[in-house]
Amino acid sequence: MRDAMKNLNSDPKKINPLVPVDLVVDHSVQVDVARSENAVQANMEFEFQRNQERFAFLKWGSSAFHNMLVVPPGSGIVHQVNLEYLGRVVFNTDGILYPDSVVGTDSHTTMIDGLGVAGWGVGGIEAEAAMLGQPMSMVLPGVVGFKLTGKLRDGVTATDLVLTVTQMLRKHGVVGKFVEFYGEGMGQLPLADRATIANMSPEYGATMGFFPVDHVTLQYLKLTGRSDETVSMIEEYLRANKMFVDYNEPEQERSYSSYLQLDLADVEPCISGPKRPHDRVPLKDMKADWHACLENQVGFKGFAVPKQEQDKVAKFSFHGQPAELKHGSVVIAAITSCTNTSNPSVMLGAGLVAKKACELGLEVKPWVKTSLAPGSGVVTKYLQQSGLQKYLNQQGFHIVGYGCTTCIGNSGDLDESVATAITENDIVAAAVLSGNRNFEGRVHPLTRANYLASPPLVVAYALAGTVDIDFEKEPIGTGKDGKGVYFKDIWPSNEEIAEVVQSSVLPDMFKSTYEAITKGNPMWNQLSVPTSTLYSWDPNSTYIHEPPYFKNMTMEPPGPHGVKDAYCLLNFGDSITTDHISPAGSIHKDSPAAKYLLERGVDRKDFNSYGSRRGNDEVMARGTFANIRIVNKLLNGEVGPKTVHIPTGEKLYVFDAAMRYKAAGHETIVLAGAEYGSGSSRDWAAKGPMLLGVKAVIAKSFERIHRSNLVGMGIIPLCFKPGEDADTLGLAGHERYTINLPNKVSEIRPGQDITVTTDTGKSFTCTVRFDTEVELAYFDHGGILPYVIRNLIKQ
């Protein structure tokens, strides 16, 4: 790619990467309208009202840059479009064949590994550099071999499988590693199930979860409209290069860094939560686990609700009819996200559950916010072909849009009466979603318990109206005959699902959907954008703002920097996610970001989300560490987006404290536990702290992409030595920290040990997590973007 960039000058048209740059605009849709037939159109109109500036910027880019394809809004989730349409498996460029590969600006890029395409997510920072010609570097990873045997039992879904795999791999420890699946169980695993497992790579921490190409892959390529000639070429090329797996041939022994094995027959129905995707709960144990969570102290599996409060009932009026909420009541039920909406068996399974429930007389309570957000238009076609969409509609699961909705925090507002009942009675309300992430504060500010489940289970929990239920023993509701209806009465068999998949998922659906993929819709096509190759920034825009990363940049790199007498901005425990660091969801009315928007004449109803305003650094800096559920040890147990300004002892919003430190000329650091930066590959989780003045993060361990992003923004990532952390070292976070680094980059080695000292006399050794020589070069330049710009100017 770098050679193709050498002719870059001031004309963006010169950008000509070796492979097309495919950008799907519609990554997220705010679900304001649900439970209505016109939800898709209404939400699309809302999206264009709110996000016109963003969409216009992207449409401008598609004409200003050469070889850049923009898939317009309303087309689907990037990963599913990649799987069904963009993925090549084998490239044929002027008669030269080579394996397909991809890096994407989203951690769930790994979904494409289910198709036998080596791919993974990188931070937006690294991707921006790659698009400008910078090669990517990484430490050669270990490869974990994961052997699958047997086949799934009746009633067990692909989601149950992926939650089981996620728990096993997170426990094994695969951060920064590749996982390759193999074994005779692979032949029984549909490609959609493989894609579901591959999609969850970020949740189990791996760089990718790879499924080699076999006959199942070829069948899927034909189903999704790839030509017979193309599929034959792919098979011949991979067989010739010994990259094709044929189950009719003797299985070859493979050598891996480590091994895991799962008999698919051992997988049981399950969900995960209430706060992390790898906290799997067998369905049969859910009621007991829920009561334990209510009782437990506040943590990943605890809410600390006093015993006398656990049976509380909050009665209220919902649009004139009596309603009630209890701890565990479901208020959001969403079939959403790229993980499951690519999978016909679970999507049609959800339709069958809705159908059986309708026939028996069960209904979802009207105050449960239900929604269905398919990953592509193909899903709509096969739900309609099967006749099951009408039953989903009857239960409130109308299609609300094509994109990331509830899973990324775009749930929209709850009805005011429901929100009031939750807040006034301190109810631990629940959301159940078929997504991949359920971190605190991500799904919705008012749902403290969030569970990941298969699409059919989402429908079942919506019907039950609570997570406080034992599906084996308790009825979901009362049927029209007055008798109790149980889980087994509405759950479809594998044969029922297979039959409807066979008759409803047809190749022509994929062809017709993707023939029109770039045509857009009237609102997109009517967007007027300038034809200039240089973008004209609007200084009054609260959506698109000229980024500050190159202000005062000199041609000579600033060189490496240590840290001197820095204050601790925040002191964290384990599993701080990128959602904690840079939330993508709603903007709280009292936050610094809200204050900024209000001062610029933006009404609260038009705040939109952090995700939609990520083109404006002023908003995103104020949204850094703004998650309402973040736990900062400096606050002694208080939850929320504030910290203690050490010199004065004042409790301030994190942004306000950071600005006070910067104004006084003080540097800051962050202390953290294990798995710091897990979750989305959100570049703002590194850009934001840099803009706040954070110079280093000292953690027990980092997730791969976030560590890379920190380096890319010139922030020093440091790891405590094994067995040590801030607590064991007696660090309260009130100390001042000095990190001495050599002032020449040539004197720093990847992974070397350095000493951190404090003003209280404590000192300890950390490992510097610059993992490659290239990363040291980025650090020397103050970050990857200044490095790339300086190199481009020299060419």
Side-chain angles (χ1 to χ4, degrees):
M1 186 177 281
R2 180 168 60 176
D3 290 339
M5 298 293 172
K6 286 186 176 175
N7 59 355
L8 179 70
N9 57 23
S10 60
D11 181 3
K13 291 280 189 183
K14 295 292 186 181
I15 291 184
N16 184 22
L18 296 180
V19 297
V21 178
D22 300 320
L23 176 63
V24 175
V25 174
D26 194 18
H27 184 75
S28 57
V29 179
Q30 186 88 4
V31 184
D32 285 301
V33 181
R35 285 184 167 245
S36 67
E37 294 288 353
N38 68 340
V40 172
Q41 182 62 27
N43 276 323
M44 184 64 75
E45 289 172 1
F46 277 136
E47 286 296 285
F48 272 84
Q49 288 170 18
R50 295 181 178 116
N51 300 310
Q52 183 170 340
E53 289 181 63
R54 295 174 61 221
F55 292 164
F57 179 70
L58 291 162
K59 190 174 181 181
W60 164 82
S62 68
S63 60
F65 291 87
H66 177 67
N67 213 12
M68 178 175 170
L69 168 69
V70 174
V71 178
S75 304
I77 299 174
V78 55
H79 320 299
Q80 194 160 337
V81 173
N82 196 17
L83 193 75
E84 295 175 353
Y85 175 65
L86 295 173
R88 278 82 161 172
V89 184
V90 172
F91 265 92
N92 183 349
T93 304
D94 299 326
I96 299 174
L97 306 184
Y98 53 95
D100 191 359
S101 61
V102 62
V103 293
T105 57
D106 190 290
S107 45
H108 291 106
T109 300
T110 53
M111 189 174 191
I112 201 65
D113 291 287
L115 195 67
V117 176
W120 59 86
V122 298
I125 302 158
E126 195 171 357
E128 288 161 4
M131 291 177 71
L132 293 171
Q134 179 61 23
M136 293 178 57
S137 67
M138 65 186 299
V139 175
L140 193 65
V143 182
V144 178
F146 199 125
K147 187 174 184 178
L148 298 172
T149 61
K151 65 179 294 185
L152 295 175
R153 290 180 288 131
D154 196 45
V156 176
T157 69
T159 314
D160 301 323
L161 171 59
V162 74
L163 294 178
T164 302
V165 168
T166 297
Q167 184 184 45
M168 289 176 66
L169 285 169
R170 180 59 76 172
K171 183 179 180 181
H172 185 74
V174 293
V175 172
K177 298 177 183 177
F178 290 174
V179 176
E180 180 171 315
F181 294 89
Y182 70 104
E184 62 269 25
M186 292 272 286
Q188 303 291 327
L189 208 59
L191 193 126
D193 291 12
R194 301 175 183 191
T196 306
I197 295 170
N199 182 284
M200 287 285 274
S201 292
E203 281 65 54
Y204 45 79
T207 301
M208 68 176 183
F210 185 76
F211 290 82
V213 176
D214 58 15
H215 70 283
V216 176
T217 319
L218 300 181
Q219 290 169 2
Y220 182 83
L221 290 170
K222 290 180 180 179
L223 171 68
T224 50
R226 276 78 164 195
S227 70
D228 290 343
E229 181 185 17
T230 298
V231 175
S232 295
M233 176 270 292
I234 290 169
E235 182 177 4
E236 288 180 36
Y237 172 83
L238 294 177
R239 281 187 183 276
N241 287 279
K242 302 188 185 306
M243 296 168 67
F244 187 86
V245 176
D246 191 331
Y247 300 107
N248 294 319
E249 298 174 357
E251 186 177 351
Q252 293 182 331
E253 284 297 318
R254 294 174 171 85
S255 178
Y256 294 109
S257 306
S258 59
Y259 297 82
L260 282 171
Q261 182 169 339
L262 174 65
D263 184 343
L264 297 176
D266 292 338
V267 178
E268 59 184 330
C270 58
I271 61 177
S272 280
K275 301 180 183 183
R276 296 190 301 186
H278 53 281
D279 290 333
R280 186 181 66 91
V281 185
L283 203 59
K284 66 179 187 297
D285 300 334
M286 180 55 195
K287 188 178 180 74
D289 191 83
W290 170 251
H291 283 274
C293 286
L294 283 181
E295 192 82 25
N296 294 344
Q297 66 180 29
V298 173
F300 298 124
K301 296 288 288 186
F303 298 103
V305 177
K307 196 79 172 175
Q308 66 274 16
E309 296 286 322
Q310 292 178 12
D311 296 323
K312 180 194 297 184
V313 178
K315 296 183 180 294
F316 66 103
S317 175
F318 182 82
H319 294 210
Q321 59 178 298
E324 63 179 40
L325 295 178
K326 301 177 182 178
H327 294 305
S329 287
V330 174
V331 295
I332 291 175
I335 300 173
T336 176
S337 95
C338 48
T339 307
N340 288 290
T341 63
S342 65
N343 194 316
S345 64
V346 292
M347 296 300 287
L348 291 166
L352 287 170
V353 170
K355 179 176 185 285
K356 290 171 183 283
C358 288
E359 291 171 345
L360 291 168
L362 292 187
E363 290 183 355
V364 175
K365 297 288 191 296
W367 55 84
V368 179
K369 186 165 190 177
T370 46
S371 61
L372 167 57
S376 82
V378 176
V379 181
T380 301
K381 286 183 168 67
Y382 64 64
L383 284 173
Q384 290 173 341
Q385 170 77 18
S386 65
L388 295 175
Q389 183 62 56
K390 69 177 182 181
Y391 298 107
L392 286 164
N393 289 349
Q394 283 182 43
Q395 297 296 353
F397 289 93
H398 294 276
I399 293 174
V400 297
Y402 299 90
C404 300
T405 55
T406 304
C407 189
I408 201 174
N410 286 342
S411 312
D413 291 334
L414 293 176
D415 186 271
E416 190 174 334
S417 64
V418 176
T420 301
I422 292 171
T423 54
E424 289 185 352
N425 296 278
D426 198 22
I427 295 292
V428 182
V432 182
L433 62 151
S434 67
N436 40 43
R437 298 211 170 121
N438 54 339
F439 304 126
E440 290 182 285
R442 177 181 175 111
V443 172
H444 193 280
L446 296 180
T447 58
R448 285 154 64 188
N450 302 286
Y451 286 94
L452 305 183
S454 66
L457 263 182
V458 170
V459 179
Y461 272 109
L463 290 162
T466 181
V467 297
D468 185 8
I469 185 172
D470 184 338
F471 279 139
E472 289 187 2
K473 299 174 182 176
E474 300 175 69
I476 287 176
T478 304
K480 57 189 175 185
D481 60 0
K483 296 179 181 178
V485 177
Y486 288 80
F487 182 78
K488 60 182 175 56
D489 299 325
I490 63 171
W491 199 255
S493 67
N494 286 8
E495 287 73 21
E496 286 179 275
I497 294 173
E499 184 179 322
V500 74
V501 169
Q502 185 68 31
S503 62
S504 304
V505 184
L506 308 172
D508 284 347
M509 295 176 177
F510 294 89
K511 289 179 182 177
S512 61
T513 297
Y514 288 110
E515 279 172 357
I517 192 72
T518 59
K519 292 180 181 177
N521 55 60
M523 287 178 281
W524 171 263
N525 295 332
Q526 289 165 15
L527 275 180
S528 177
V529 297
T531 57
S532 61
T533 54
L534 288 177
Y535 188 75
S536 298
W537 302 101
D538 178 359
N540 298 316
S541 173
T542 56
Y543 277 99
I544 305 293
H545 185 254
E546 184 175 7
Y549 312 123
F550 308 114
K551 286 181 179 177
N552 304 317
M553 194 181 95
T554 60
M555 271 304 295
E556 290 303 312
H561 62 83
V563 176
K564 184 171 178 59
D565 289 332
Y567 284 100
C568 176
L569 182 64
L570 297 136
N571 183 5
F572 293 131
D574 295 343
S575 294
I576 292 296
T577 71
T578 52
D579 279 282
H580 289 112
I581 305 168
S582 183
S586 59
I587 298 172
H588 193 273
K589 61 182 177 63
D590 298 323
S591 65
K595 181 181 178 184
Y596 172 85
L597 292 171
L598 289 169
E599 287 173 350
R600 280 149 187 81
V602 179
D603 292 336
R604 183 169 177 262
K605 64 181 177 61
D606 296 321
F607 278 1
N608 212 334
S609 64
Y610 285 113
S612 65
R613 291 191 181 272
R614 55 191 163 198
N616 188 310
D617 58 280
E618 296 282 5
V619 174
M620 298 307 290
R622 287 163 173 78
T624 303
F625 299 112
N627 187 299
I628 61 168
R629 298 290 173 197
I630 203 165
V631 178
N632 170 19
K633 294 178 184 179
L634 294 178
L635 295 179
N636 296 319
E638 184 180 338
V639 176
K642 293 188 176 182
T643 194
V644 174
H645 179 250
I646 303 299
T648 63
E650 289 183 72
K651 185 172 71 175
L652 303 170
Y653 280 106
V654 176
F655 175 80
D656 295 334
M659 292 304 100
R660 191 175 291 187
Y661 283 128
K662 284 188 80 171
H666 298 310
E667 297 179 329
T668 55
I669 65 155
V670 170
L671 296 175
E675 299 175 353
Y676 183 75
S678 56
S680 304
S681 57
R682 192 162 295 156
D683 51 337
W684 273 109
K687 289 178 177 176
M690 185 276 284
L691 294 176
L692 296 188
V694 173
K695 300 300 181 184
V697 177
I698 310 176
K700 288 172 69 175
S701 64
F702 294 92
E703 288 288 293
R704 175 185 60 88
I705 296 176
H706 186 62
R707 185 206 62 80
S708 172
N709 277 341
L710 290 174
V711 173
M713 295 312 298
I715 296 174
I716 307 168
L718 298 166
C719 276
F720 291 108
K721 285 298 180 181
E724 295 184 347
D725 59 21
D727 292 340
T728 62
L729 292 168
L731 304 173
H734 292 267
E735 308 85 356
R736 298 186 73 172
Y737 295 80
T738 296
I739 302 166
N740 289 312
L741 280 179
N743 56 15
K744 291 184 179 179
V745 74
S746 59
E747 296 175 5
I748 307 174
R749 301 184 315 279
Q752 80 176 56
D753 287 347
I754 60 100
T755 299
V756 181
T757 59
T758 71
D759 63 336
T760 59
K762 293 181 185 291
S763 68
F764 54 96
T765 303
C766 286
T767 302
V768 180
R769 286 297 310 278
F770 298 122
D771 289 356
T772 65
E773 296 289 345
V774 173
E775 289 188 345
L776 284 171
Y778 298 158
F779 184 58
D780 186 45
H781 280 257
I784 190 171
L785 296 179
Y787 174 89
V788 171
I789 293 298
R790 289 187 180 100
N791 282 352
L792 288 174
I793 293 172
K794 289 177 182 177
Q795 291 179 10

